[in-house]
């Protein structure tokens, strides 16, 4: 979900590009750029974009495995996840 703070005008992005790039890199969140008050573009830093693509690829692999009949039933996968030792949460 896009936060209101991440919605900016294209003009503001053009005038303050360096500040936007620092914010994009530090937060990892995309920004919605507007033209005449309407959303026109989404900008995101390269590392965050790669993470998004990796997530999409993982979802696609799971869907493909289920279609091929090689995936695990949900309950079995959930039980295996719950049986693993708790890992520390990633820092944001």
């Amino acid at each position: 979900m896009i936060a209101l703070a991440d919605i900016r005008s294209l003009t503001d992005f053009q005038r303050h590009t360096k500040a936007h790039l620092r914010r994009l890199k530090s937060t990892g969140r995309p920004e919605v750029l507007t033209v005449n008050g309407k959303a026109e573009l989404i900008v995101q830093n390269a590392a965050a974009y790669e993470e998004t693509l990796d997530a999409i690829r993982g979802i696609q692999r799971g869907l493909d495995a289920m279609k091929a009949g090689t995936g695990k039933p949900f309950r079995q996968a959930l039980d295996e996840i719950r049986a693993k030792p708790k890992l520390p949460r990633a820092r944001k």
Side-chain angles (χ1 to χ4, degrees):
M1 179 170 215
I2 303 290
L4 287 177
D6 296 328
I7 300 173
R8 308 292 176 121
S9 71
L10 179 59
T11 303
D12 183 65
F13 186 85
Q14 290 170 324
R15 288 181 182 157
H16 305 103
T17 303
K18 288 182 182 180
H20 283 269
L21 294 177
R22 280 192 301 272
R23 185 171 30 263
L24 288 165
K25 188 173 183 176
S26 69
T27 66
R29 295 189 322 255
E31 286 187 2
V32 176
L33 301 182
T34 63
V35 176
N36 296 325
K38 295 182 181 179
E40 288 290 328
L41 302 166
I42 303 287
V43 291
Q44 188 174 25
N45 78 355
Y49 180 71
E50 281 296 323
E51 288 179 16
T52 301
L53 286 180
D54 288 344
I56 292 169
R57 289 181 190 119
I59 292 166
Q60 187 61 56
R61 281 192 304 273
L63 292 172
D64 291 344
M66 293 308 293
K67 286 180 186 175
T70 58
K72 294 180 184 178
F74 172 75
R75 293 276 179 216
Q76 179 185 349
L78 187 60
D79 289 343
E80 289 175 11
I81 291 169
R82 286 180 173 158
K84 290 183 181 182
K86 299 225 182 227
L87 301 175
R89 290 183 179 239
R91 294 183 183 184
K92 292 185 180 183

